[in-house]
Amino acid sequence: MVKHVLRGSDFLSLSGLSGNELEDFVYESCRLKKEGTKGFRPLSNRSIGLLFEKPSTRTRVSFEVAILSLGGHPLVLQAEELQMRRGETIEDTAKVLSRYLDGLVVRTFGQKRLESIAASSDIPVINALSDECHPCQALADMLTILEYKGEFRQLELSYLGDGNNVTHSLMRAGTKLGMNVHIATPCGHEPMDSIVSECEEYCEISGGSLKLTDEPFEAAENADILYTDVWVSMGSSEDADEARSKFLPFQVNEKMLEVASDDVIVMHCLPAHRGEEITDDVIDGSHSVVWDQAENRLHAQIALLAMIYG
Ligand code: CP
Ligand code: NVA
């Protein structure tokens, strides 16, 4: 059971969960969302640090609220306000923090840096976004898909844009759950080869599929889910003007919706750059589920914390 896998553990990516465990997680988060957490206080007398080296609105606030709703005490630790700014290493910081805290939610740069934080501390470390992946986002995305589509297997999940951290976690989740995942990116912006290979292995078990293309309309055809994210991620050195010309054909707009399935849902992890990767009429239109998706960050993280500390 997924509870046993997560209990007391780090959550650095989705790689450690089998398809069945991930599915189990999503159903459990759906149940907790419906039933609420009244009287359920697995974080009582526990303090959880939120260490952020990049900006955040959703992740930070939803984790703070999730921790409070489970009876815990959240402490926001912005990296620029810590001694790290004056050169203290992230490992020394993590070692010290783990003497005070019961868990650390971390938003950082490389996955290696995150792994090093986890190795330096003996409390659970949760990935709140790294350059490589955004697993908490994918948990909320899967909950949203379950709510709107009622199932996972054989859904056509199409992502258009940059092959980034959000794409990697989405691909992992989609292929583990038996979806047909299409990733359309401009040349040079494909997802990481190692993660593509990993997802191909998941497909063999789940019966799903993974297709990469540089043809956005081909990927969007008959899509049940159309997903996009910013063209230039936090910490990327990509020039915004250059990106615009390369990525414009991948914009999720009305034309893209026309080739998708009639009841397609449109997803975006947010923040959105309106008029770039997604148009106003689509993000504000009847197919968009982005606000429910953002709300589900809270519900999925309540479930995650409940399983780690339950
Ligand atoms: N989707 C997401 O992680 O949003 P924030 O950057 O606002 O946390
Ligand atoms: N890919 C984006 C996701 C933000 C939530 C970034 O890393 O900036």
Side-chain angles (χ1 to χ4, degrees):
M1 266 168 83
V2 68
K3 283 182 193 176
H4 302 142
V5 179
L6 290 173
R7 186 165 301 148
S9 300
D10 295 328
F11 181 67
L12 305 185
S13 83
L14 291 179
S15 300
L17 294 184
S18 69
N20 285 342
E21 286 159 353
L22 177 59
E23 190 164 8
D24 199 16
F25 176 91
V26 184
Y27 277 92
E28 179 61 14
S29 56
C30 196
R31 186 191 67 75
L32 262 178
K33 178 177 174 179
K34 281 191 195 127
E35 293 176 7
T37 55
K38 260 210 173 95
F40 180 44
R41 295 284 178 272
L43 290 182
S44 159
N45 296 321
R46 284 176 158 147
S47 298
I48 311 290
L50 304 166
L51 176 57
F52 278 70
E53 296 196 272
K54 291 175 179 173
S56 170
T57 298
R58 281 143 287 270
T59 309
R60 208 205 79 192
V61 176
S62 58
F63 261 113
E64 276 193 78
V65 174
I67 292 162
L68 284 167
S69 74
L70 294 172
H73 176 217
L75 282 104
V76 175
L77 306 162
Q78 296 291 356
E80 68 269 20
E81 292 169 7
L82 302 179
Q83 291 287 12
M84 274 166 55
R85 188 175 137 193
R86 296 177 59 245
E88 186 168 23
T89 68
I90 189 95
E91 291 81 8
D92 288 354
T93 305
K95 235 175 246 172
V96 171
L97 290 177
S98 76
R99 298 288 179 106
Y100 308 137
L101 300 169
D102 301 287
L104 205 50
V105 173
V106 182
R107 171 165 287 194
T108 189
F109 296 90
Q111 192 72 8
K112 287 263 172 313
R113 187 170 172 85
L114 183 70
E115 286 165 6
S116 176
I117 295 169
S120 307
S121 57
D122 46 18
I123 51 175
V125 172
I126 297 174
N127 182 355
L129 180 147
S130 63
D131 291 345
E132 186 187 291
C133 57
H134 197 359
C136 292
Q137 180 67 52
L139 296 179
D141 296 342
M142 296 306 117
L143 172 58
T144 311
I145 290 172
L146 182 66
E147 288 176 336
Y148 277 90
K149 298 291 178 187
E151 59 174 348
F152 296 114
R153 279 175 191 79
Q154 301 304 319
L155 284 178
E156 304 292 322
L157 166 61
S158 302
Y159 174 93
L160 310 186
D162 183 31
N164 62 20
N165 43 12
V166 168
T167 324
H168 290 147
S169 292
L170 187 71
M171 280 166 57
R172 280 180 169 141
T175 54
K176 276 176 192 277
L177 294 173
M179 296 188 213
N180 298 317
V181 180
H182 306 256
I183 308 287
T185 63
C187 288
H189 290 268
E190 295 85 359
M192 281 166 61
D193 288 342
S194 58
I195 297 181
V196 171
S197 311
E198 192 187 315
C199 291
E200 283 166 349
E201 286 175 24
Y202 300 151
C203 289
E204 280 173 28
I205 301 168
S206 70
S209 64
L210 176 66
K211 232 179 173 172
L212 306 189
T213 176
D214 59 2
E215 293 288 339
F217 277 98
E218 183 190 311
E221 210 174 338
N222 298 322
D224 297 304
I225 301 139
L226 265 184
Y227 199 121
T228 190
D229 182 19
V230 290
W231 292 336
V232 182
S233 283
M234 293 180 279
S236 162
S237 55
E238 176 90 22
D239 177 78
D241 290 331
E242 244 174 64
R244 205 161 293 134
S245 58
K246 238 189 294 182
F247 282 100
L248 202 56
F250 296 80
Q251 183 184 64
V252 174
N253 52 30
E254 279 298 336
K255 279 207 179 96
M256 215 54 92
L257 284 197
E258 276 168 24
V259 303
S261 126
D262 289 341
D263 57 358
V264 64
I265 57 170
V266 173
M267 300 182 74
H268 192 309
C269 58
L270 304 178
H273 287 180
R274 289 166 173 258
E276 293 192 359
E277 74 275 3
I278 192 161
T279 52
D280 282 332
D281 50 356
V282 170
I283 197 168
D284 297 325
S286 59
H287 293 276
S288 170
V289 301
V290 301
W291 314 116
D292 289 337
Q293 183 186 358
E295 180 187 328
N296 279 336
R297 294 296 307 277
L298 172 64
H299 303 295
Q301 287 156 199
I302 286 176
L304 179 66
L305 291 166
M307 289 188 208
I308 293 176
Y309 294 95

